[in-house]
Amino acid sequence: MQISDLPYPDPGVPDARSGPRFLLWLGRGQLGGQLKSLCWGMLHFTGVAALPYAVGLGVDAVVDREPNGLLLVGLLLLVTGIAISVGDSMLHSTAVTNWITAAARVQQLLARKTAELGSALTRRVAAGEVVAVSTGDVEKIGWFVEAVSRFLAAVFSVVLVCVGLLFYAPELGVVVAIGVPLIALAPLPLLPRATQRADVQREKAGKATELASDTVAGLRVLRGIGGEELFLGRYREASQEVREAAVRSARMWALISAIQVVLPGALMITVVWYGAALVSDGRIAVGELVAAFSAVATLLYPLRHFQEIAMAYSFSRPSAQRAARVLSLTRTDAAGERPARTDPVTAPAAGGDLYDPRTGLLAPAGRFTAVVCGDPDLAGRLAERLGGHPMDGDPVSEAGTEAEADAGTGSGAGSGAGSGADEVGAPSVLLGGVALDELELDTARTLVLVQDKDPVLLSGTLRELFDVPASGAVESGAALAAAQCADVLDALLQSAPDGVEDPMDARITERGRSLSGGQRQRLALARSLVTDPEVLVLDEPTSAVDSHTEARIADGIAALRAGRTTVVLASSPLLLDRADRVVLIDGGTVAAVGTHRELLQREPRYRAVVTRETDEEQRLGGLELTELAEALTEIEESA
């Protein structure tokens, strides 16, 4: 695999059962690159290991006054130098390639998982953890993958040096063969504590990153309430905790590094002292002593890779664990996973009803349906379910299960459409009788589009914002008009550089921060209208605009989406009054169905949510209605 071949056509299906399994899966996916790196590493370290013997042979040739021997030693040094240079260059090239390809594979997997889960990802995983996984953790995982081949090449060179010394100078070779494994294994007792301290550091760094991310996201609100200094102080405390944890971790790794320096030095002193005694006794030649000394000095280089692999694994293991935790998330409910299907699921024919067996919600095809929920969080989760994105711990599902247990049935309204309920887990939302979570992700997203209450605007021009997959039936101008974006276009044009005459060429800053909340909301609504999906689900699309604008937007949505299925989760009377059908969700299931005016008259729970009535106001309102009914009855009797 070359860097120029990235990204992967298909990054594969990861083994996300644990961090070590994920690292093993990554390594198996790059066996070719690992073997290349290992071969070049063996060439490089073989050249390094051969240097002490070449030096020893040169000393012996000088002592014995053999010119031919010196010539052979010179040629050997030349070949060794070439092997070291070429091997080192290619080892670095292949190792970096392994690093980048591993990191790219992880990033592709994370991007694919993000696209699959959508906004549900940050509801199940903290935003700071997502940022940490997609940035620093990716680099640490790539570091371990590329360090494996260099470590194996270093092990090969250490074994080669020890075995060579056993044959070249047996007396000194035994000392080196005993001392080197002790040096390599000496830091092992300290690694668990070093890993623990590194984990604490990363945990605190993740919390600090999450705090910083939340602070930046809510900076406008913090300025409004004067809370910048409060959150700045919290972040300062969090960063100091990270610094202290980093210092504690660095001290442990410094101790391990010191051991890796002191013990080889002690071995070198032992070899020199014992070797000098052997030379004085005439048991070995001077060249053999020089070769043994040079070999021990040379071993310091490959032994560094023993420490590096330990550090790389200790840092990458929790990073891989976090990545595996994100990659293991699925679109299925906590109640159970749907059995894997071997046969492809055909997309439903156009014009099918949208039905949720769990809540009993039915949105007839081609109608404007409004849904009222007393709990805004439940409304957001219901919107995700309607888009085919069920989530672990979904309160909609849990409430529906409790309601079914009490009633002894899960049919709700529209019970005839419940045939697609999952036999194993929570029922899936059906479109035209076909379960959304059984369809291919791209197909499901094309059929049903969900816009949550906090949509994101990416930076770029307005034209690029509307360059999204769409049916082509709705022009951007019509969508902008329906969403009442005339003032937004004027604001963008006024802030645009000189020479920009078309507001579609005006640039939007990151996340639309230069716009107000209502302007961002209307632009996002216009973008959703442009896509013209078969089913459009909007969660509080007008919560940040004034009542007059809201009324015009409601008329625009109803007119532009005429004949198309539209579901709006809202509690605004202006929106509800424009809907063809209003559904009240109470306790996780459908409680009432009708028009806005009908439900206001006959459903106290609906009236309490829409008009924000207190219990006392509901009681008084009920008495007034009762008195009015009695008065009408008396009039009829007297007539």
Side-chain angles (χ1 to χ4, degrees):
M1 187 70 183
Q2 300 295 323
I3 296 178
S4 59
D5 298 329
L6 297 174
Y8 287 97
D10 180 12
V13 180
D15 186 350
R17 289 176 291 177
S18 66
R21 287 179 182 273
F22 180 60
L23 292 174
L24 181 61
W25 178 82
L26 280 176
R28 287 201 307 265
Q30 293 182 215
L31 285 179
Q34 293 285 1
L35 289 175
K36 287 181 182 179
S37 184
L38 177 60
C39 291
W40 288 116
M42 291 172 64
L43 175 64
H44 169 66
F45 283 110
T46 299
V48 173
L51 279 177
Y53 304 107
V55 172
L57 291 174
V59 172
D60 287 338
V62 171
V63 172
D64 297 338
R65 300 180 182 276
E66 295 181 358
N68 294 332
L70 283 176
L71 181 60
L72 292 175
V73 169
L75 292 175
L76 179 59
L77 288 174
L78 177 62
V79 172
T80 301
I82 293 175
I84 293 174
S85 300
V86 174
D88 189 30
S89 299
M90 297 307 299
L91 171 62
H92 179 74
S93 175
T94 53
V96 170
T97 300
N98 289 336
W99 187 335
I100 294 176
T101 50
R105 186 190 294 271
V106 177
Q107 286 178 329
Q108 281 186 255
L109 292 170
L110 292 171
R112 186 174 67 181
K113 182 59 65 174
T114 301
E116 176 185 343
L117 297 177
S119 61
L121 176 61
T122 52
R123 293 178 180 172
R124 303 169 71 179
V125 181
E129 184 169 351
V130 175
V131 173
V133 170
S134 59
T135 53
D137 286 342
V138 168
E139 294 186 3
K140 293 181 178 68
I141 292 171
W143 176 27
F144 174 74
V145 172
E146 68 91 13
V148 169
S149 56
R150 290 190 287 111
F151 166 70
L152 294 176
V155 172
F156 170 78
S157 69
V158 170
V159 173
L160 187 63
V161 168
C162 292
V163 172
L165 277 179
L166 286 174
F167 286 96
Y168 184 72
E171 294 86 350
L172 293 177
V174 171
V175 176
V176 174
I178 295 174
V180 168
L182 294 177
I183 295 173
L185 298 176
L188 287 182
L190 299 177
L191 287 179
R193 181 172 296 182
T195 302
Q196 182 181 7
R197 292 189 179 184
D199 290 346
V200 172
Q201 176 195 349
R202 281 184 292 274
E203 180 182 356
K204 292 183 178 296
K207 291 181 179 179
T209 302
E210 182 178 352
L211 178 60
S213 177
D214 292 343
T215 302
V216 171
L219 190 58
R220 182 188 295 269
V221 177
L222 291 177
R223 287 175 176 172
I225 62 176
E228 305 103 305
E229 289 299 325
L230 174 63
F231 275 79
L232 179 61
R234 291 180 181 178
Y235 181 75
R236 186 181 293 112
E237 293 176 1
S239 63
Q240 289 300 314
E241 291 180 1
V242 174
R243 181 190 63 80
E244 293 173 0
V247 170
R248 285 172 53 83
S249 178
R251 286 173 180 168
M252 187 56 64
W253 287 111
L255 178 59
I256 294 175
S257 299
I259 292 175
Q260 292 293 89
V261 173
V262 172
L263 293 184
L267 178 60
M268 189 178 301
I269 293 173
T270 302
V271 168
V272 171
W273 173 78
Y274 182 55
L278 294 177
V279 170
S280 64
D281 293 340
R283 297 168 59 182
I284 63 172
V286 176
E288 293 176 337
L289 174 60
V290 173
F293 172 80
S294 301
V296 174
T298 303
L299 285 176
L300 292 176
Y301 173 52
L303 284 175
R304 292 175 187 168
H305 293 80
F306 285 67
Q307 178 186 353
E308 182 191 15
I309 195 66
M311 292 184 65
Y313 180 73
S314 65
F315 277 90
S316 65
R317 181 185 54 79
S319 297
Q321 186 64 43
R322 280 196 293 267
R325 184 163 57 250
V326 173
L327 295 175
S328 64
L329 299 176
T330 63
R331 297 169 62 203
T332 56
D333 272 330
E337 294 189 359
R338 184 177 303 279
R341 296 183 63 100
T342 56
D343 56 321
V345 178
T346 305
D353 297 341
L354 182 70
Y355 175 69
D356 179 18
R358 178 61 66 187
T359 60
L361 172 64
L362 175 67
R367 303 285 296 279
F368 183 178
T369 302
V371 181
V372 176
C373 298
D375 183 359
D377 291 335
L378 186 142
R381 302 246 176 197
L382 177 58
E384 293 292 337
R385 265 190 64 80
L386 295 178
H389 311 292
M391 298 170 292
D392 294 338
D394 188 349
V396 174
S397 298
E398 293 171 1
T401 302
E402 294 172 0
E404 290 176 7
D406 294 338
T409 178
S411 58
S415 59
S419 59
D422 188 356
E423 303 88 339
V424 178
S428 168
V429 172
L430 307 176
L431 179 61
V434 178
L436 285 179
D437 63 1
E438 290 185 353
L439 295 173
E440 292 292 333
L441 183 61
D442 293 341
T443 303
R445 293 282 173 86
T446 302
L447 293 172
V448 182
L449 175 66
V450 178
Q451 176 182 304
D452 60 24
K453 58 173 62 70
D454 188 22
V456 175
L457 301 181
L458 301 179
S459 60
T461 64
L462 191 58
R463 195 182 309 278
E464 293 171 343
L465 178 68
F466 285 91
D467 186 15
V468 293
S471 66
V474 179
E475 298 292 335
S476 58
L480 287 167
Q484 301 298 311
C485 293
D487 63 317
V488 184
L489 299 180
D490 294 339
L492 289 174
L493 199 57
Q494 290 177 3
S495 61
D498 295 338
V500 177
E501 299 180 355
D502 189 347
M504 297 299 291
D505 295 325
R507 294 195 63 82
I508 299 174
T509 58
E510 179 187 1
R511 298 180 66 92
R513 298 190 188 280
S514 60
L515 303 173
S516 67
Q519 290 174 329
R520 289 196 300 270
Q521 194 174 58
R522 282 177 282 161
L523 281 181
L525 174 60
R527 179 181 58 187
S528 299
L529 293 173
V530 163
T531 61
D532 189 38
E534 182 173 339
V535 179
L536 177 61
V537 180
L538 304 172
D539 184 11
E540 294 289 354
T542 58
S543 59
V545 300
D546 59 80
S547 58
H548 297 289
T549 304
E550 185 177 33
R552 293 194 294 269
I553 290 175
D555 292 334
I557 294 175
L560 194 63
R561 293 285 300 174
R564 306 288 273 172
T565 307
T566 306
V567 181
V568 177
L569 290 97
S571 59
S572 167
L574 295 173
L575 271 174
L576 299 174
D577 194 40
R578 267 70 170 182
D580 302 322
R581 190 169 184 267
V582 179
V583 180
L584 173 65
I585 301 291
D586 186 52
T589 57
V590 172
V593 180
T595 65
H596 170 59
R597 297 172 188 262
E598 292 171 351
L599 293 179
L600 274 180
Q601 292 178 2
R602 62 179 172 84
E603 184 54 58
R605 290 175 294 180
Y606 178 82
R607 190 166 57 248
V609 175
V610 174
T611 63
R612 276 71 171 179
E613 286 184 347
T614 63
D615 293 340
E616 181 64 20
E617 290 171 336
Q618 290 184 50
R619 187 183 65 80
L620 293 176
L623 291 176
E624 291 173 359
L625 290 174
T626 302
E627 293 172 356
L628 178 61
E630 292 176 352
L632 290 174
T633 302
E634 292 177 359
I635 293 174
E636 291 175 355
E637 291 176 351
S638 62

